[in-house]
Amino acid sequence: MEVNYQNIKVIGFDADDTLWVNETYFREAEIEFCKLLSQYETPNKIDQELFRMEIDNLPLYGYGVKAFTLSMVESALEISNYNISTKTIEAILNIGKDMLNKPVELLDGVETVLKSLSTKYKLILATKGDLLDQERKLEKSGLTKYFHHIEVLSDKKEANYSNLLNHLDINPSEFLMIGNSLKSDILPLVNIKANAIHVPFHTTWAHEEVSDEEKNGKAYKTIHSLTEVLKFLK
C-alpha cells in the first residue's frame, strides 16, 4: 500500500535497535544469567522463567536495563528456591552494570540519515525505557545535535502516541515514526492514522513480536536499511 509523506512535519525515531545496537546485549546477558544458575535449571527453563518475570514486572518496573536486572534478581531467587548466594546476586547486578556501560554502536547510515532529515524536519527521539540510560546513550552516540528533544514514553501504545501528538500540537498525518518494532513503533501509529516506517533489526524481543493477522492490511512501509528513508523523504 502506497503511503504519502508530503504532509510530514515531525519525525520520531525509536532509539534501541533503530539507531544503535541494544537487543544483542540483552541476549548476551541472558546467556550469562543462565550460566550463573546452571546448577538449578536448564537454560531453556531459566529463559522461560526470566521472561515470565519480566512480563509480570512490566506494570511496576517498566522497560530498560534496570528493570531487566531486577527481574534477573527475582528470577534467581525463585529458581534457586531462595538458596542463591550473595556472590551470585552480586554477579547478576554486575551483568546489569556492564549493560549500562556498553559502548553505543550506531547502525549503518544512521548519522547520514539524521543529518539530512534534520535540515527539513523536526526530529525527536521517541523511546521507552529508563530516562537516565537513554539520555546517556544519546550523549555517547554523538547524535544529540540532530534532535529537537527526547521523549521517553512509559509505553508505546496508541494512547501514548496520541498524547505525544497533542503535546507536539500536530495532526497524526503530520507525524512519522521510524522504528524496528512493529508492536511498539509501527502498528499503534497506523491505528491512530499517523505514518510509520519499519526498519527490522535481526533480533527481536519475544514481547515485541506480532502475528501475521495483526499486520495484515496495515498501511506502513518496510525498508531494509535506514538510508532507504531518504528515497521517500525529500
Side-chain angles (χ1 to χ4, degrees):
M1 188 178 296
E2 194 59 37
V3 183
N4 189 330
Y5 300 110
Q6 291 182 351
N7 296 325
I8 301 301
K9 293 182 179 178
V10 181
I11 301 176
F13 281 86
D14 173 52
D16 297 333
D17 301 317
T18 298
L19 302 181
W20 50 66
V21 174
N22 179 67
E23 193 61 27
T24 303
Y25 300 143
F26 279 84
R27 299 289 79 79
E28 292 172 352
E30 288 168 357
I31 291 171
E32 290 303 310
F33 180 66
C34 287
K35 289 178 182 177
L36 288 174
L37 297 181
S38 59
Q39 71 184 92
Y40 301 107
E41 266 297 353
T42 64
N44 185 56
K45 180 64 174 178
I46 294 169
D47 272 340
Q48 290 177 356
E49 290 303 308
L50 176 56
F51 179 69
R52 178 189 61 78
M53 185 67 73
E54 287 181 84
I55 300 305
D56 287 348
N57 283 336
L58 276 179
L60 186 62
Y61 298 154
Y63 297 87
V65 174
K66 293 175 186 175
F68 176 68
T69 304
L70 288 171
S71 291
M72 283 196 292
V73 171
E74 289 187 56
S75 294
L77 291 169
E78 286 194 3
I79 291 168
S80 69
N81 196 26
Y82 294 85
N83 290 316
I84 199 79
S85 69
T86 54
K87 184 176 180 180
T88 304
I89 294 292
E90 181 183 33
I92 293 170
L93 293 175
N94 284 334
I95 290 175
K97 289 179 180 179
D98 287 344
M99 292 174 72
L100 291 171
N101 287 316
K102 289 285 187 184
V104 174
E105 181 184 344
L106 295 182
L107 297 176
D108 291 344
V110 165
E111 186 154 18
T112 298
V113 170
L114 296 180
K115 186 176 182 179
S116 176
L117 296 181
S118 64
T119 64
K120 309 160 191 173
Y121 305 92
K122 178 188 289 185
L123 306 186
I124 66 169
L125 192 69
T127 184
K128 61 187 179 185
D130 177 73
L131 175 60
L132 182 61
D133 187 31
Q134 294 293 5
E135 287 181 335
R136 183 188 298 114
K137 284 191 282 190
L138 182 58
E139 183 65 28
K140 283 183 179 180
S141 74
L143 302 176
T144 306
K145 58 182 178 273
Y146 300 116
F147 291 101
H148 182 268
H149 69 278
I150 179 173
E151 290 277 352
V152 178
L153 307 172
S154 59
D155 209 335
K156 283 184 165 181
K157 296 181 178 179
E158 294 170 24
N160 303 100
Y161 284 114
S162 292
N163 289 337
L164 172 59
L165 296 187
N166 288 336
H167 176 67
L168 293 169
D169 194 26
I170 59 172
N171 296 319
S173 63
E174 297 170 323
F175 183 73
L176 169 65
M177 183 69 189
I178 299 175
N180 70 290
S181 170
L182 285 170
K183 182 175 180 178
S184 293
D185 305 318
I186 309 301
L187 299 182
L189 278 304
V190 175
N191 290 339
I192 63 169
K193 310 300 182 186
N195 304 279
I197 294 179
H198 182 217
V199 193
F201 188 66
H202 58 74
T203 303
T204 302
W205 185 30
H207 182 61
E208 296 292 331
E209 294 176 356
V210 300
S211 67
D212 289 339
E213 184 179 353
E214 292 175 280
K215 294 183 282 185
N216 286 343
K218 301 295 185 179
Y220 64 88
K221 189 180 292 293
T222 297
I223 58 178
H224 300 292
S225 170
L226 191 61
T227 54
E228 290 182 48
V229 302
L230 299 180
K231 298 177 183 178
F232 321 116
L233 301 169
K234 300 177 181 179

